[in-house]
Amino acid sequence: MKRNITPLIIGNWKMNPQTIEKAEALFADIKKSTKKDTAVEIVVAAPFVFIAALQRASKNSRIKLAAQNVFKEPLGAYTGEISIPMLKSLGATHVILGHSERRALGESNEKIHESILAVLKSGLTAVVCVGEKARDAQGDYFSFVEAQIKSAIASIPNSHLSRLVIAYEPIWAIGTSKHATAEDVQEMKLFIQKNIADHFGRSAVPKVRILYGGSVNTDNAKELLETGRPDGFLVGGASLKASEFAEIIHISTAYGKV
Ligand code: PGA
């Protein structure tokens, strides 16, 4: 069923592929196979070191580029970090923040919140990942996700909300082939929207896009979109195979604006 949205499909390449040649080849294949998918917003989140080359490769294409993390300060003595102005100068438009694999390396809600504010202030789009490690019968995982959301959205100016994307990515579903059910996705989307409404008022709800991520593939994308009704997907493993990623994008086309 068509909805009044432009589905947002983001491929999170994580620390893949191993060489610039492979990254360029994968990007070229994605570009070629998604030429006609004009009803979908397509984003590739590549490792930092590939973004410059992909910017050149993305000329004359609608594919946008994302980073998988960023440091909040614009420049200075921060060995090993990458800043928002650097990303902007390479043409990146989106930044993934708070991915569970980064949280597992020690990123706190506070640090993620600071990065969200810096990214939104800069004019880029922040894709903030939230999600529980495991589900319990009492539903305590809702409080866990709520704490992540509350921390993420605290003190964000209302005027920046259209550049805030929340990706619900339950950790148990990432890279496991065990995706959340469409009902789980719909329930969590409503829960996230309730948190947004409580904080910013009901009129803010349509501004913030909510994605699902966690073992999305060509077999489950249709059902997840149809019943779960996320505004798109954050795709990991399946985004490393151009044909699979393109197929997920083709499927999503059916759910976008006419
Ligand atoms: P997956 O990863 O699609 O391989 O489960 C999703 C993600 O971590 O963003």
Side-chain angles (χ1 to χ4, degrees), residues 10-12 14 96 99-101 129 169-170 173-177 212-217 234-239:
I10 305 177
N12 177 12
K14 308 192 180 185
I96 297 175
H99 191 283
S100 57
E101 288 154 14
C129 302
E169 292 212 311
I174 296 179
T176 58
S177 315
Y212 168 72
S215 298
V216 174
N217 59 34
L234 184 51
V235 185
S239 72

Side-chain angles (χ1 to χ4, degrees), residues 6-13 26-27 29-45 58 61-66 91 93-94 209 211 231-235 239 242 245-253:
T6 301
L8 170 60
I9 308 296
I10 305 177
N12 177 12
W13 286 4
L26 174 58
F27 190 85
D29 283 349
I30 292 172
K31 184 174 158 182
K32 200 164 130 207
S33 8
T34 58
K35 256 195 192 119
K36 296 197 183 115
D37 297 291
T38 51
V40 179
E41 186 176 356
I42 306 167
V43 179
V44 167
S58 70
S61 107
R62 296 173 36 263
I63 303 180
K64 296 175 183 168
L65 298 172
T93 51
H94 294 59
R209 283 169 294 172
L211 311 184
D231 299 311
F233 293 131
L234 184 51
V235 185
S239 72
F245 189 52
E247 182 58 25
I248 292 169
I249 290 165
H250 300 331
I251 293 168
S252 309
T253 302

Side-chain angles (χ1 to χ4, degrees), residues 187-207:
E187 185 181 42
M188 193 55 85
K189 180 182 174 185
L190 293 171
F191 181 70
I192 294 170
Q193 288 181 325
K194 185 187 172 304
N195 274 278
I196 291 165
D198 288 348
H199 192 82
F200 298 102
R202 285 175 67 92
S203 62
V205 170
K207 294 186 191 159

Side-chain angles (χ1 to χ4, degrees), residues 151-227:
S151 161
I153 63 180
S155 69
I156 290 179
N158 215 302
S159 57
H160 290 168
L161 289 181
S162 56
R163 282 182 290 99
L164 174 68
V165 177
I166 296 182
Y168 171 54
E169 292 212 311
I171 298 173
W172 51 267
I174 296 179
T176 58
S177 315
K178 276 190 262 151
H179 65 91
T181 66
E183 288 74 20
D184 294 339
V185 173
Q186 188 183 34
E187 185 181 42
M188 193 55 85
K189 180 182 174 185
L190 293 171
F191 181 70
I192 294 170
Q193 288 181 325
K194 185 187 172 304
N195 274 278
I196 291 165
D198 288 348
H199 192 82
F200 298 102
R202 285 175 67 92
S203 62
V205 170
K207 294 186 191 159
V208 180
R209 283 169 294 172
I210 298 172
L211 311 184
Y212 168 72
S215 298
V216 174
N217 59 34
T218 51
D219 293 332
N220 57 34
K222 185 174 188 304
E223 155 85 10
L224 285 168
L225 280 169
E226 183 100 37
T227 310

